[in-house]
Amino acid sequence: MPTLTFRRLFTRSRYCAVQVAVIGLLSFFMESTAQARAPVVNLGNAAAAGDESADGLFGFLSNWKRDSNLLGSMWGLRTAMGKAGLVFALQETSEIFGNVTGGTRRGAAYDGLTVAVLQLNTQRAFGWYGGTFQVSMEQIHGRSLSDDNLQVAQTISGIEADRSTRLWEMWFDQKFLDQQALDIKIGQQSLDQEWMVSSNALVFANTMFGWPMVPSADMPGGGPAYPLSSLGVRAKYWMATPLYVQAGVFSGSPAHNVSVDAQKSNPSGTSFVLNRGVLALVEFQYVYPALGAMVSPDQADALSRVYRIGAWYDSEPFADQYWDNMHVPLASPASSGVARRHRGLFSLYAVVDQMLWHSHYDPNRTFNVFGRAMGTPQSDRAPNDFSLNFGFTFKDPLPYRQDDTLGLAMGYTHFSKALAKFDRATRFYNGSYMPSQSGETYMELMYQCQMTGWLQLQPDFQYIFNPSGGVPNTLHPDRRVKDIAVLGLRAIIAL
């Protein structure tokens, strides 16, 4: 996972020893990371796999064009597991991205992610109504283009992470009350699966269309999002048609030690952290059409929409971005190098998913818009105090190409005033080239093509403006990183 903070940029850019010491000590308290996002695994397809075991070892090939899984029933394994209330899904995401302009150097890199998910339905397994147990594993391979070549804050791929094989999630979910109005989940959870998420945005490759930039940059270790997770409990309640509220309390950090890469501190995903702060979240959702909504025969199909507003608070200690513990600028040679510490950080956000149009002849052919904004007023302790995502998706854009998606979207993040003030102080005290960080913007154009039931191919183009808010190139410290153009191809295979 790339860690592209201003502190590391200083270290790599051969600045004076005093600055290196100051930044190194400051990093001990807070390290800004661009957290990633794993593609959604379709458990429904795995549950519906047919049984080709009677056709021999390669029986799954008899229906490979139409099956939703390349391996079908896995020689009868999925069928047998289904009778016991178990569903097993295996998915491989492989991609290659390369920057043709900008960054620290030009080049290309391959990276990949294999996710295995095992889910148990307690009612089907042993008659316990409303329970679901799920455990998932990750195998991450390849290299990170963002880390090696780009020097960006908003990383170009949601699966970029440290190479490892690790536990991802392990939780139990229980539904209660009439019509399952209350839903409680407890265990190790990755919050990017159901918090602050836009369903229309998930088809894009850039990391920030999943877990947003503000928690990625500001939370310890980047927060409990792929490839990390945290222990906690989440409750979701159906208040009234069409309103829902969900609230959760989780460990304030996904690793015991976030002074280094949190993934390296928790390499297997089995560090169940309970001795850190508390991360509390609340989110209200408006979902239309709501569950059980009726449409009269003469009424047009509804334009679906989901609106979310929410907030989160993390009680962990956060490092000041400008002052040390003696109220001396951290960039000053007289600084102690120990950042002033603040207790807690909070943020507010809003998410919109809105269908704008659908075909009267093909209900799956839709044009949609999405947007998400998140910000915090506590910019003295937050490297990034605002982020925004906005875009459009067009489902089934071409005739006779069902299940394809065309998308165009953008993302923006603003670096805090305290961070820009630190940059100015650095120029003042040592005269080095250090532009003040402002904002970074990217655009993404993609086409997701459903080749077979189990294979998606996704050509992708991204352009990043003012990488990392305008920082010195680590290989050429006397000039900024130039704007970046990236081309890529992603393949998602349901095995």
Side-chain angles (χ1 to χ4, degrees), residues 90-137:
L90 189 64
Q91 179 172 287
E92 166 66 21
T93 302
S94 290
E95 60 189 20
I96 183 167
F97 280 93
N99 60 309
V100 295
T101 63
T104 55
R105 60 172 70 87
R106 297 182 188 178
Y110 163 83
D111 64 305
L113 166 68
T114 306
V115 177
V117 181
L118 180 65
Q119 190 175 94
L120 172 68
N121 183 311
T122 59
Q123 183 174 11
R124 188 164 186 177
F126 41 80
W128 182 312
Y129 175 76
T132 303
F133 173 78
Q134 180 169 304
V135 60
S136 56
M137 300 287 295

Side-chain angles (χ1 to χ4, degrees), residues 139-208:
Q139 208 294 311
I140 305 164
H141 40 281
R143 294 172 44 227
S144 167
L145 182 75
S146 298
D147 204 16
D148 294 345
N149 288 27
L150 304 187
Q151 205 171 322
V152 294
Q154 301 171 108
T155 48
I156 53 105
S157 170
I159 69 170
E160 290 180 327
D162 292 350
R163 290 188 292 272
S164 62
T165 300
R166 57 193 302 123
L167 174 71
W168 186 17
E169 291 191 297
M170 186 168 62
W171 48 257
F172 179 74
D173 185 287
Q174 179 66 52
K175 294 176 171 58
F176 300 91
L177 305 182
D178 186 38
Q179 299 185 0
Q180 301 180 345
L182 177 62
D183 180 345
I184 297 179
K185 181 192 289 187
I186 185 168
Q188 191 83 350
Q189 302 174 48
S190 188
L191 302 193
D192 57 342
Q193 299 302 290
E194 57 181 358
W195 295 91
M196 341 176 178
V197 66
S198 161
S199 59
N200 284 306
L202 294 179
V203 296
F204 292 89
N206 191 282
T207 299
M208 297 310 145

Side-chain angles (χ1 to χ4, degrees), residues 82-389:
K83 295 176 181 178
L86 292 165
V87 177
F88 176 68
L90 189 64
Q91 179 172 287
E92 166 66 21
T93 302
S94 290
E95 60 189 20
I96 183 167
F97 280 93
N99 60 309
V100 295
T101 63
T104 55
R105 60 172 70 87
R106 297 182 188 178
Y110 163 83
D111 64 305
L113 166 68
T114 306
V115 177
V117 181
L118 180 65
Q119 190 175 94
L120 172 68
N121 183 311
T122 59
Q123 183 174 11
R124 188 164 186 177
F126 41 80
W128 182 312
Y129 175 76
T132 303
F133 173 78
Q134 180 169 304
V135 60
S136 56
M137 300 287 295
E138 305 164 332
Q139 208 294 311
I140 305 164
H141 40 281
R143 294 172 44 227
S144 167
L145 182 75
S146 298
D147 204 16
D148 294 345
N149 288 27
L150 304 187
Q151 205 171 322
V152 294
Q154 301 171 108
T155 48
I156 53 105
S157 170
I159 69 170
E160 290 180 327
D162 292 350
R163 290 188 292 272
S164 62
T165 300
R166 57 193 302 123
L167 174 71
W168 186 17
E169 291 191 297
M170 186 168 62
W171 48 257
F172 179 74
D173 185 287
Q174 179 66 52
K175 294 176 171 58
F176 300 91
L177 305 182
D178 186 38
Q179 299 185 0
Q180 301 180 345
L182 177 62
D183 180 345
I184 297 179
K185 181 192 289 187
I186 185 168
Q188 191 83 350
Q189 302 174 48
S190 188
L191 302 193
D192 57 342
Q193 299 302 290
E194 57 181 358
W195 295 91
M196 341 176 178
V197 66
S198 161
S199 59
N200 284 306
L202 294 179
V203 296
F204 292 89
N206 191 282
T207 299
M208 297 310 145
F209 289 120
W211 190 240
M213 188 63 206
V214 169
S216 293
D218 299 345
M219 284 187 184
Y226 166 86
L228 303 171
S229 55
S230 282
L231 283 173
V233 58
R234 184 274 291 148
K236 185 173 183 178
Y237 180 64
W238 180 17
M239 301 168 62
T241 304
L243 299 175
Y244 298 80
V245 60
Q246 66 180 23
V249 178
F250 301 87
S251 172
S253 171
H256 290 285
N257 182 9
V258 293
S259 61
V260 296
D261 185 341
Q263 295 178 54
K264 290 183 172 60
S265 174
N266 184 10
S268 64
T270 56
S271 294
F272 303 115
V273 181
L274 289 172
N275 61 344
R276 300 294 300 254
V278 173
L279 172 61
L281 307 93
V282 63
E283 181 177 287
F284 295 90
Q285 303 173 8
Y286 173 92
V287 182
Y288 180 85
L291 181 66
M294 302 293 291
V295 177
S296 62
D298 59 343
Q299 184 178 351
D301 291 337
L303 295 177
S304 62
R305 48 195 179 268
V306 179
Y307 305 145
R308 303 169 184 253
I309 57 170
W312 58 263
Y313 171 78
D314 196 318
S315 69
E316 285 275 306
F318 290 81
D320 196 282
Q321 302 296 295
Y322 183 77
W323 299 106
D324 72 2
N325 58 351
M326 303 298 293
H327 206 68
V328 175
L330 282 161
S332 170
S335 171
S336 66
V338 179
R340 179 184 177 188
R341 305 181 76 178
H342 302 274
R343 181 62 181 270
L345 176 70
F346 77 91
S347 177
L348 306 174
Y349 64 89
V351 185
V352 173
D353 277 295
Q354 174 72 59
M355 183 187 296
L356 299 179
W357 171 86
H358 66 78
S359 169
H360 294 292
Y361 307 101
D362 180 3
N364 294 322
R365 196 176 193 207
T366 61
F367 187 70
N368 310 277
V369 63
F370 68 88
R372 178 179 59 196
M374 180 179 293
T376 174
Q378 298 174 301
S379 60
D380 56 345
R381 68 203 70 178
N384 293 70
D385 57 14
F386 178 77
S387 64
L388 173 70
N389 303 101

